[in-house]
Amino acid sequence: MKGNGVKKTIKTRYHLYFWIIYFLFNIIRWGSYFNDYWYSLKSNLVEFPLHIVLVYINIYYLVPKFVLKKKYVAYIIFLLLALISHYLIRSGLNYWLVTEDIWPEVQGKHDPFGFNHIVAVIVGELYVIGLTSAIKFTADFMIEQNKNRHLKALQYKTELKYLKAQIQPHFFFNTLNNLYALTIQKSDQAPKVVLKLSDIMKYVIYDTSKKKIPLSQEIDHIDNYIELEKMRYNDRVHSEVSISGNIDNVTVVPLLFLPFIENAFKHGLQNNDKLELQISFERIDNQLIFISKNNFDKENTSSFISGGIGNKNVERRLQLLYQDKYSLQIRNENNEYKVLLKIPIK
């Protein structure tokens, strides 16, 4: 049963479990109270189908039709009508099928349809409606929260894939430009570039599809890229890559550091005869610190710090992957451009 956008979010078998347990509980409770389990069974057999009908009318019809549309007065009116109808049917069936002593829990004999009895039955039904509504809407809330978490995770995953797909062709174009430049120069290094490019293609096609790869493997690819650039620029490039701490079991997301190194080559050689590049990876406890430093011409500060697609892409990926658990500082001081990135290892 569905009504006006409210769907059954609790599986049918759990509805059955609830009503069976509640039915048995009521038989034992009132049977113990009256010391008459046969009477308790008969009265509950009459009353429980009516409980169930009233509960589902409230949850799947009255609430979505009136409460969710903020028609509160109409809801109260129709709920009162439903409660009165319930009282008349329940009391009539109990009187004719079970017992003429319609209210055995109070002293003396009471006739049905009296004011006190009406109030007592309606309050009891409101208790049932309140209990079942609380269970239903609490379950709905938890299911909706879980669904939202899944949607958010899917959104993050989709965006991460998009960012990775965005940077891959960018990285390829830069590398192909290197090959093109060497080909124009008819350099003997061109065959070596093709081999290095082949290694990088394997990395971009296969390794970047993984969530994480060993840091040592990522450093190998960084070395490959630097070697490619050195083949292009010859003695204009001086580089140093250092590693501190034990990185044997450290894994990182692919293509996290290369954009910074690309920027160092792209902008560091723009107005400089030589590029002095220093790269370091340091593990301190459960934190990985990456530093990239290179000489830099102040005239290009604004374009360099923005970093184009690379830096923006990496920063967005860091936000999605680590939220507020990472630190990224990019600054230019004393003609030196420095990137300092700290990320958690676990």
Side-chain angles (χ1 to χ4, degrees):
M1 179 179 179
K2 300 178 183 179
N4 297 320
V6 175
K7 301 178 181 179
K8 277 191 177 181
T9 50
I10 304 174
K11 293 181 179 179
T12 302
R13 67 173 181 271
Y14 295 121
H15 288 255
L16 292 174
Y17 297 157
F18 171 79
W19 289 116
I20 290 170
I21 292 169
Y22 193 24
F23 178 73
L24 294 174
F25 170 77
N26 255 18
I27 291 174
I28 294 170
R29 174 191 174 198
W30 291 111
S32 174
Y33 184 84
F34 298 126
N35 197 26
D36 187 346
Y37 289 96
W38 177 240
Y39 163 76
S40 181
L41 173 62
K42 288 189 295 181
S43 62
N44 274 290
L45 283 172
V46 168
E47 294 170 9
F48 249 78
L50 301 175
H51 287 324
I52 293 170
V53 170
L54 183 60
V55 162
Y56 288 131
I57 286 175
N58 177 67
I59 289 175
Y60 292 114
Y61 181 75
L62 296 181
V63 169
K65 187 171 180 64
F66 298 112
V67 176
L68 298 185
K69 295 180 180 179
K70 299 182 179 180
K71 298 178 180 178
Y72 304 119
V73 174
Y75 172 74
I76 292 171
I77 291 171
F78 279 97
L79 179 61
L80 285 174
L81 290 174
L83 287 168
I84 292 169
S85 300
H86 170 86
Y87 172 81
L88 293 173
I89 296 170
R90 168 183 160 169
S91 297
L93 290 175
N94 261 331
Y95 184 80
W96 290 310
L97 298 177
V98 181
T99 178
E100 294 183 1
D101 187 2
I102 202 68
W103 203 2
E105 55 264 41
V106 296
Q107 291 182 349
K109 184 175 177 64
H110 291 266
D111 295 326
F113 312 116
F115 177 78
N116 289 337
H117 185 240
I118 291 173
V119 171
V121 171
I122 287 179
V123 168
E125 287 307 313
L126 287 174
Y127 164 78
V128 176
I129 289 172
L131 173 64
T132 53
S133 296
I135 294 171
K136 170 68 167 65
F137 297 120
T138 299
D140 285 352
F141 175 77
M142 293 173 65
I143 291 167
E144 193 65 26
Q145 288 289 97
N146 192 45
K147 187 189 297 182
N148 288 338
R149 281 195 296 269
H150 281 298
L151 287 173
K152 192 173 182 181
L154 181 60
Q155 181 183 358
Y156 281 178
K157 190 175 181 180
T158 303
E159 188 173 354
L160 281 170
K161 284 184 177 180
Y162 167 74
L163 291 169
K164 193 182 293 182
Q166 186 183 41
I167 205 168
Q168 286 172 346
H170 170 74
F171 182 67
F172 263 132
F173 290 144
N174 284 355
T175 308
L176 287 171
N177 282 337
N178 290 352
L179 178 59
Y180 175 73
L182 291 171
T183 305
I184 291 295
Q185 299 167 12
K186 297 182 179 179
S187 171
D188 294 337
Q189 298 279 19
K192 293 182 181 178
V193 172
V194 172
L195 291 175
K196 290 288 183 184
L197 181 58
S198 174
D199 289 337
I200 290 175
M201 286 178 69
K202 289 178 183 176
Y203 165 64
V204 173
I205 293 171
Y206 298 110
D207 290 343
T208 58
S209 63
K210 301 172 184 176
K211 289 184 178 179
K212 289 191 176 184
I213 64 171
L215 175 59
S216 57
Q217 194 174 334
E218 184 76 3
I219 294 172
D220 287 342
H221 295 306
I222 290 171
D223 286 335
N224 273 341
Y225 181 79
I226 293 173
E227 286 301 313
L228 276 173
E229 295 288 8
K230 283 183 176 180
M231 290 177 188
R232 178 181 178 184
Y233 294 108
N234 297 316
D235 59 354
R236 291 182 64 193
V237 176
H238 293 99
S239 65
E240 179 184 342
V241 179
S242 62
I243 302 170
S244 301
N246 183 6
I247 64 166
D248 290 344
N249 298 319
V250 177
T251 58
V252 294
V253 294
L255 287 171
L256 194 60
F257 310 109
L258 272 169
F260 298 122
I261 297 163
E262 277 189 291
N263 279 337
F265 280 96
K266 180 180 178 181
H267 300 283
L269 284 169
Q270 226 171 47
N271 290 333
N272 292 301
D273 292 331
K274 290 186 178 182
L275 174 66
E276 298 290 339
L277 177 61
Q278 292 182 335
I279 300 166
S280 68
F281 294 88
E282 182 179 8
R283 176 179 180 170
I284 300 178
D285 298 325
N286 289 325
Q287 189 176 59
L288 177 65
I289 301 172
F290 165 77
I291 298 175
S292 173
K293 295 189 291 185
N294 62 273
N295 56 313
F296 177 61
D297 191 331
K298 284 185 177 180
E299 293 179 4
N300 296 313
T301 299
S302 60
S303 64
F304 190 34
I305 289 180
S306 65
I309 187 175
N311 283 7
K312 293 177 182 177
N313 184 298
V314 172
E315 189 156 10
R316 180 56 183 157
R317 291 174 71 202
L318 287 167
Q319 290 170 359
L320 292 174
L321 290 163
Y322 302 110
Q323 286 83 48
D324 58 348
K325 297 177 183 177
Y326 77 96
S327 171
L328 176 62
Q329 299 176 17
I330 301 176
R331 60 179 181 265
N332 175 60
E333 294 176 353
N334 302 321
N335 288 333
E336 181 184 74
Y337 184 78
K338 181 178 180 181
V339 175
L340 173 60
L341 173 62
K342 298 178 182 179
I343 58 173
I345 291 174
K346 295 182 181 179

